[in-house]
Amino acid sequence: MTRLVITGGTLIDQTGTRAGDVAIDDGRIVEVGTAVTGDCVLDASGCIVSPGFVDLHVHLREPGKEEAETIETGSRAAALGGFTAVVAMPNTDPAQDCVAVVDFVREQGRKAGLCDVLPSGCITIGRAGELLAPFGELAAAGVHLFTDDGNGVQDAQLMRRALEYARPLGIVLAQHCEVASLTKGAVMHEGACCSRLGLPGWPSIAEELMVFRDIELVRLTGVPMHFLHLSTERSVQLVRQAKADGLPVTAEAAPHHFTLTDEMLSGYDSVFKVTPPLRTAVDIAALKVGLADGTIDAIATDHAPHAQHTKEAPLDQAPPGMLGLETALALAITELSGSGAAMTLEQIVAALSWKPAAIAGVAHRHGRPIAAGEPANLTVFDPTREWSVVPAHLASKSRNTPYAGRTLRGKVRHTVFDGTAVVVDSAATR
Amino acid sequence: MKHLLSVEDLSPADIHSLLELTDHMVEVSSRPIPKVPALRGKNVVSLFFEDSTRTRTSFDTAAKRLSADTMNFAVASSSVNKGESLRDTIETISAMGVDAFVIRHKSSGAPQMVTRWTNASIINAGDGWHQHPTQALLDCYTIRAGLNRRDSFDGLRIAIVGDIKHSRVARSDVQAFTKMGAHVTLVAPPTLLPPSLDGWPVEVSHDLDSLLPDLDVLYLLRVQRERMDEALLPSLHEYSALYGLTAERAARLAPHALVMHPGPMNRGVEMVVDPGELPGSVILHQVTNGVAVRMAVLFTLLGSGSDLRTGDTV
């Protein structure tokens, strides 16, 4: 076997930060130290070497919407973003509510060979919110995270039953928090901006009411719950209190929710339409505090590719969602660290790596300490490199990034997945 | 000025000069042959993705009086019904050579979006709940003529009554009236107001009766039946009782006060009294002035400076 060595970098993992070289052979880290040698050298001078990132929230669109993304193109975008594992959301067509579909998704991921593609399962059949999906069969097929993402589970009784039924299975239910009766036809955050633009508003309370309900259902059942893409100040406060109460809840925030405000929609550009919607500066500040104090465990992209022609519809008709995989690290560094911001690089890596790895149930393979014997899933990034987002240069099949033309700080240089350098010098090798 | 998308983009001076130009267009319209060659050879295409009679006819009449070539694109019988996208529709028609599109669309922002796909001028003839700028201009013109306020609306008290939340007319009029200097009060049940009025230079009232004697203009908006299905109103009867213009309320208006409505009216709902019996009603003047205002807009966007005052005819 070829011995791969990453030299000259600064290692960050949950054990701390130190300089070191890392040698990799046959899918595992075999040596960590100084002046380590190997057959193939990845230069990491000036870079951070960290456990591979884990994205709890991506839409890979296959099966069903391969015009927007395939598992292969999405995996490549993930690898370029430093992710060695991604949780594929179940709103495919057909939905990931049976073993055949989740097996297909996992197998397509394996064929692409760029990162671990972890299929999520639906909470309800067809995400229709009526009948429970077969949690037991899906869990036996390796599914750990269950969600109807794209829809919140509206029926409180059904949600209670789902939590109760999940208890012996060791799985985690993840909620897309949206009380649908409050968001009919909604296009953007309800506030001054939507009032001026003449667009139906998506009020913060629509998210917060479901966060509140589900925290109380967790209190009742004791079964863990993960909150997807939190976007409001009050949601952060509710989760903070739930954690203080000792409840088994976790939460994620998406980079666009801590970067962009609803004002971005002033030009009616549907690239800024997303669910939940872009909120206000107050919400952004609260999300940043929540990430820094650990209320929000993970940064998850909600990578949501859409074909250009579908996004070119008027705002109320265009589908919600934006690309995220290839810009997540840079937005975290640009928006959350540095002058005046609250997070250290170590905290950012934690929110991108071992904390989401634990929620996704892959802590045995991802987000591991950088030490001999561990699986070789690693990300090497330059935290100071500035780069401009050019949609046409992205590996995703779609182009709906809201950051076109923005200069961001922080760039993934190499990604090692399962012992193989799948990204070298910011280019995919397969 | 390349496009007319929103009153927000107009300065008070822009509004003023459009109204001045409208005076000339009124004069043109009063001639025995109300037609000038100002826009001869210009191609104006109306794209109405939402039903309209008065606005479409008004633009059509305005373009014809300026000798522009006009084409009406009836969406119902078009390739849009076969699934053609807005972008493809615009690019296809643009390829035939178009100087201006007059666009009405049920989606807020659609006219602004279209500007990315064509070099033609875009005139917003109403988009969703957002804007209807020529309505605001014709309303300003009507108030200017009706109250003899040539230069500004300073000190005028205007109440806009009805479904503000869903109204592009309200959004446009609030901006235009306040830019002209008027004091605007919005009158509606809270459910028919926008979720936030931050940045709106207006006052809000839920009590029409207390305002009536002090008003210079009472502007009524159409209230749609489907609002009850969304639990925004208990009943049209209750709306009418609280906010409708009855004969009793009309009698409490000042003698000089104008009553306006953008049409189409809901008789018996917001307009309980017969407007034909209201001395202050200028609702038909609004329609008449609409043609002249739209001539002024078309000429401003497409004209090349030919003098309209010389009385040249085709």
Side-chain angles (χ1 to χ4, degrees), chain A residues 168-339:
Chain A
L169 298 173
I171 59 177
V172 62
L173 302 189
Q175 189 69 282
H176 166 114
C177 291
E178 175 178 358
V179 174
S181 63
L182 288 165
T183 61
K184 267 183 201 145
V187 170
M188 64 177 294
H189 173 64
E190 180 181 289
C193 201
C194 88
S195 297
R196 176 166 52 87
L197 296 175
L199 289 165
W202 204 118
S204 298
I205 192 81
E207 173 176 307
E208 294 151 359
L209 275 179
M210 196 171 280
V211 172
F212 178 80
R213 181 199 76 178
D214 284 4
I215 284 171
E216 294 310 308
L217 289 175
V218 170
R219 201 187 306 275
L220 181 73
T221 61
V223 176
M225 168 99 87
H226 177 68
F227 292 105
L228 300 168
H229 49 46
L230 292 186
S231 68
T232 81
E233 179 185 40
R234 183 81 183 112
S235 292
V236 177
Q237 291 169 353
L238 287 166
V239 171
R240 183 177 290 121
Q241 184 59 49
K243 287 189 166 187
D245 293 349
L247 299 179
V249 296
T250 55
E252 68 184 38
H256 47 267
H257 284 132
F258 61 68
T259 304
L260 306 170
T261 68
D262 61 340
E263 290 289 333
M264 301 301 294
L265 283 138
S266 294
Y268 292 96
D269 188 340
S270 67
V271 81
F272 297 106
K273 182 180 175 184
V274 64
T275 301
L278 302 177
R279 303 282 186 192
T280 66
V282 169
D283 299 299
I284 287 179
L287 290 175
K288 287 180 175 176
V289 172
L291 279 160
D293 72 13
T295 299
I296 299 171
D297 302 84
I299 296 167
T301 65
D302 196 2
H303 179 80
H306 288 291
Q308 184 76 5
H309 70 90
T310 64
K311 270 291 193 184
E312 276 176 349
L315 212 46
D316 57 341
Q317 292 162 33
M322 43 181 68
L323 300 184
L325 282 166
E326 295 172 74
T327 47
L329 170 75
L331 288 161
I333 290 175
T334 307
E335 301 296 326
L336 303 177
S337 76
S339 59

Side-chain angles (χ1 to χ4, degrees), chain A residues 112-131:
Chain A
L114 288 150
C115 63
D116 273 333
V117 174
L118 312 167
S120 63
C122 298
I123 294 175
T124 67
I125 296 290
R127 299 168 50 252
E130 288 164 7
L131 303 167

